[in-house]
Amino acid sequence: MEKLIIIGAVAAGSKAAAKAKRLNPNLDITIYTEDTNIAYSACGMPYYIGGEFEDYHRLIEYSTKNFEQDFNLKIFTRHRVTKIIPEKNTIQITKLEDNSVFEEKYDKLLIATGASAKKIHAKGSELPQVVTLRHLSDCLRIKQFTKTTKRAVIIGGGSTGLEMFEAFWRLGIDTKMVDWKTHLTTKLDEDIGTFLKELVETHYPNSIILNDSAKSFVSDAMGRLTAVELISGKVLPCDLALISIGVKPNVKIAKEAGIEIGSSGAIKVNEKMRTNIPNIYAAGDCVEKKGFVTNRVIWHPQGSTANKEGRTAAMNIAGIESSFKGVLESAITKFFDIKIGATGINCKLAKELGYEPEFVIIKSKDRAGYMQDAKDITIKLIADRKSGRIIGGQGIGLGDIDKRINIIANAISAQNTPEELSNSDLPYAPPFSMAIDTVLVAAYELDKKLKK
Amino acid sequence: MEKLIIIGAVAAGSKAAAKAKRLNPNLDITIYTEDTNIAYSACGMPYYIGGEFEDYHRLIEYSTKNFEQDFNLKIFTRHRVTKIIPEKNTIQITKLEDNSVFEEKYDKLLIATGASAKKIHAKGSELPQVVTLRHLSDCLRIKQFTKTTKRAVIIGGGSTGLEMFEAFWRLGIDTKMVDWKTHLTTKLDEDIGTFLKELVETHYPNSIILNDSAKSFVSDAMGRLTAVELISGKVLPCDLALISIGVKPNVKIAKEAGIEIGSSGAIKVNEKMRTNIPNIYAAGDCVEKKGFVTNRVIWHPQGSTANKEGRTAAMNIAGIESSFKGVLESAITKFFDIKIGATGINCKLAKELGYEPEFVIIKSKDRAGYMQDAKDITIKLIADRKSGRIIGGQGIGLGDIDKRINIIANAISAQNTPEELSNSDLPYAPPFSMAIDTVLVAAYELDKKLKK
């Protein structure tokens, strides 16, 4: 019986296990994970913390026990894989409970070690109230803290930072957000990012501090966090600090085993999710991806991508040819009633990469103006003068941004020019869009601009 | 100064006038319309009737006076163009107020005569309480009726019928809907259409009568409608009957002038919106279109398309080459909290046209299951076995159907296979979709089915 070992079981790992077993019931599958749980929605953790739902088990798609039973495989949680020995088709595992070490042979290995939260190395950063959110255990610990937290500081204004800002506010915690850039979220250009900041400031005055970061974490005599001191000298009193400055791929054991790491710093795989070493696959947040728009190698960790890569890896492991082609770097975030989305590349990056970006920004409504639910949306659409093609889009507003980012994502995938997009036949009725949707208006205006 | 005459001014006509004037301010433009108003949202009329907003002027994008001033052109409302004389570059107009007749010369002519509601020719169908909804004047008359209407019958279960059913219910009018087919809305296959009927029946029991139609309209001694008698013999008491069985293109004057009418019964135009007669253009609901999926000629009247065609006609009239490529036959309707959408062609039509349709139906949620707002959606995705490409999609549910129909519409435009669609990188976050969106799951399952 062929033996597949999978390291990690959040998104890519658990998806691959289920899929591989369905395709080849004879496969002997063992999963090792450092985590306490498998198959959970990491993206849903801010919503649990914010009280969207009461029972954290709803984040868990499958309990370890049910997963083992349903798919007839073995799972070892709280087990850390410390070494891959390709010459011997073997891995070395530490059982975290008692630090015992053992080895296990594989025929095929899937590395789905994911990513870890980046930390700030500064005075006081080791305080228990200075936290990151990546694993379910982080989530439960933060949830526990929020029962007594009065004031929180979030370092980092990306998607998770924004979602956690909302979660803390919903719990009545006075929250400040600090970002080292001049605007929020790296995916957005400064124009749209500034607009986001203004929207946030309107609803939550004095809550955002830009161009700044944490210098040290101040504690009292009892060793409890009391404030974050910023580089600017500002001191923000708080009893909880969330570091949300991004993630980095977990590649240590792969690298040490001679598995090739790409220019992005993540594991290099081909479209079949194969690494450079035979019988070793990798998928999910620990691998790098191809960016559709630019054909360059990028690292863009995302739950939806991890699921697709897990599926692709499983199919190839089971002997069914399958390819994962790449990503558009799409993202969408809800921040209270504000939706923020982006796809493709932004103007800043486009210039850095040698494109000649041209863009329009259109402010409009998400449905016919006479509908009571009509809400503001602002759409930025970007094309490249050289190729004439759409290369990116960004959107923000109280209205339905998600749909518009999807439309732009599809237009990029289809290598549309703005003219082609402007002629798209999107379904229309007054509760859903203007007669000519804002994205199509943007495409039309951008086409005119390109032809000038 | 070149003179452009435009016949009709709801969507295509008003759009073309504004656009042509912007492109060529020297153009001398005159608009004739039978209607009382120009540039209004016909699609919004059911929402005005249902009380979504109070002031019907919100339907009107531009008053006649403001439009004349802003675009420096002349508009004659309540004027019927009765004849086009291409040999003389002349049209004949009847002023409806006094039935006076006069002629006018043009250099270029744009026919945007739209479509008319189909009527039922049956005993009593001329009663004032037997109405159709097409023009703003119809809308205002129906709104007036609803002030005293207790019971209404709607003949025809298409989009407008459904929207009017909702409007009447919101006004507290006891409403029944009758359709001659075995399920609601022609765009849907029977499986999804039946599901719609069941959803409606759950919320509004005994309100839908299928496989039936109006045989006669019964009136009292005062000549007021009291009931609709159906072909089955059923008698539905009511004081208002709305005939909503579709529309037909207004092509009489075009046909009489020798302008070619296509196989669909609507005016034939090329991609530039030119008819077979030099200097005569046509756009909007009175012209036929090319269907993207099948490359066949179809007639698919829609406000959004009319706007785009009006724009294209204006550009070519102003000497700027522009093409309108065709339509996907996309449609979306809201019915209370239920959203119903379709794009491309359905299985039934696909078979009739010689395709080998294969499909999947996926029932799921529109966002992560643990989000409070997560709602049911059902998606049908159709591909053709011969080409391997996606040819249609349908969706229904309380959740966000609109977004999914958009995604499928774009996939059809891009000539995607299910496999290609399944790898789409759509932006994901728990408030917006499942980690792998239902459409992508459908694409994945359909790909498997195709490869069996």
Side-chain angles (χ1 to χ4, degrees), chain B residues 281-314:
Chain B
Y281 296 75
D285 287 356
C286 62
V287 308
E288 60 184 24
K289 297 119 196 359
K290 197 178 80 179
F292 273 135
V293 181
T294 57
N295 262 320
R296 77 198 195 287
V297 157
I298 55 167
W299 185 61
H300 188 257
Q302 184 131 334
S304 49
T305 306
N307 269 284
K308 288 175 206 152
E309 291 177 336
R311 194 170 68 186
T312 300

Side-chain angles (χ1 to χ4, degrees), chain A residues 147-412:
Chain A
K147 289 176 184 166
T148 52
T149 299
K150 299 266 181 302
R151 287 179 294 194
V153 170
I154 297 171
I155 308 291
S159 293
T160 307
L162 288 165
E163 287 165 354
M164 286 303 298
F165 184 100
E166 176 175 347
F168 286 159
W169 268 82
R170 286 190 186 280
L171 297 173
I173 299 169
D174 182 6
T175 307
K176 308 254 180 241
M177 178 179 276
V178 180
D179 200 285
W180 62 271
K181 293 187 308 303
T182 53
H183 64 279
L184 298 171
T185 101
T186 37
K187 303 278 305 171
L188 303 177
D189 280 315
E190 187 153 1
D191 41 19
I192 300 288
T194 300
F195 189 54
L196 167 61
K197 192 217 161 199
E198 284 163 8
L199 264 175
V200 177
E201 281 287 339
T202 308
H203 292 87
Y204 312 96
N206 306 315
S207 57
I208 310 280
I209 296 148
L210 295 178
N211 294 305
D212 214 339
S213 193
K215 189 181 158 196
S216 71
F217 300 90
V218 186
S219 57
D220 63 12
M222 308 278 287
R224 286 175 312 211
L225 179 74
T226 56
V228 178
E229 191 194 351
L230 302 183
I231 291 168
S232 63
K234 268 198 200 95
V235 174
L236 305 176
C238 65
D239 33 22
L240 186 65
L242 173 69
I243 310 303
S244 182
I245 55 171
V247 291
K248 56 182 182 192
N250 293 328
V251 299
K252 186 167 176 285
I253 54 168
K255 197 174 175 181
E256 288 170 356
I259 294 170
E260 194 176 349
I261 305 299
S263 55
S264 72
I267 298 170
K268 188 171 179 172
V269 289
N270 66 11
E271 288 188 354
K272 315 290 178 192
M273 312 313 296
R274 291 193 177 98
T275 68
N276 61 316
I277 296 184
N279 297 319
I280 301 185
Y281 297 75
D285 287 357
C286 62
V287 308
E288 60 184 23
K289 298 119 194 358
K290 197 178 81 179
F292 273 135
V293 180
T294 56
N295 264 319
R296 78 197 194 288
V297 158
I298 54 167
W299 186 62
H300 187 255
Q302 183 130 336
S304 49
T305 305
N307 268 284
K308 287 177 205 149
E309 289 177 337
R311 194 169 69 187
T312 301
M315 292 180 75
N316 290 301
I317 287 167
I320 297 164
E321 283 287 298
S322 176
S323 296
F324 182 74
K325 301 287 185 185
V327 298
L328 281 176
E329 304 167 68
S330 303
I332 183 88
T333 308
K334 194 178 84 63
F335 179 68
F336 293 94
D337 292 335
I338 304 166
K339 290 99 183 177
I340 309 132
T343 185
I345 57 175
N346 63 28
C347 280
K348 184 165 175 286
L349 179 61
K351 274 181 209 155
E352 286 167 16
L353 294 172
Y355 290 87
E356 282 181 34
E358 191 60 81
F359 70 94
V360 292
I361 293 177
I362 306 284
K363 291 181 191 238
S364 184
K365 297 279 178 188
D366 66 343
R367 56 198 77 189
Y370 48 75
M371 299 301 290
Q372 286 173 23
D373 283 346
K375 297 195 185 80
D376 289 332
I377 53 174
T378 298
I379 299 292
K380 178 171 187 173
L381 187 68
I382 308 166
D384 170 38
R385 269 200 179 279
K386 290 183 193 167
S387 67
R389 286 182 186 156
I390 296 164
I391 55 173
Q394 295 156 52
I396 183 166
L398 298 171
D400 189 350
I401 291 297
D402 178 33
K403 176 168 105 173
R404 278 77 195 182
I405 297 300
N406 265 299
I407 296 168
I408 300 171
N410 280 304
I412 296 172

Side-chain angles (χ1 to χ4, degrees), chain B residues 105-242:
Chain B
K105 278 189 90 68
Y106 62 80
D107 296 305
K108 282 178 180 153
L109 180 68
L110 173 63
I111 304 172
T113 43
S116 296
K118 281 188 191 163
K119 288 180 179 166
I120 292 179
H121 299 286
K123 186 163 165 273
S125 62
E126 74 298 342
L127 289 168
Q129 296 85 6
V130 179
V131 296
T132 56
L133 175 62
R134 183 69 196 169
H135 298 285
L136 189 55
S137 50
D138 301 331
C139 168
L140 300 179
R141 201 164 71 250
I142 293 172
K143 183 73 180 175
Q144 194 59 34
F145 274 129
T146 58
K147 287 177 184 165
T148 53
T149 299
K150 299 265 182 301
R151 288 179 294 194
V153 170
I154 296 171
I155 309 291
S159 292
T160 308
L162 287 167
E163 287 165 353
M164 288 303 296
F165 184 100
E166 176 176 346
F168 286 159
W169 268 83
R170 286 191 186 278
L171 296 172
I173 299 170
D174 182 6
T175 305
K176 308 255 181 239
M177 177 179 278
V178 180
D179 199 287
W180 63 271
K181 293 186 309 303
T182 53
H183 64 276
L184 297 171
T185 99
T186 39
K187 303 279 305 172
L188 302 178
D189 280 315
E190 189 155 356
D191 42 18
I192 300 287
T194 301
F195 189 55
L196 167 60
K197 193 216 161 203
E198 283 164 7
L199 263 175
V200 177
E201 282 288 339
T202 309
H203 292 88
Y204 312 97
N206 306 314
S207 57
I208 310 280
I209 297 148
L210 296 178
N211 294 302
D212 215 338
S213 192
K215 189 181 158 197
S216 73
F217 299 91
V218 187
S219 58
D220 64 12
M222 308 281 286
R224 287 175 310 211
L225 177 74
T226 57
V228 178
E229 191 193 351
L230 302 183
I231 290 167
S232 63
K234 266 197 201 98
V235 174
L236 305 176
C238 65
D239 33 21
L240 185 65
L242 173 70

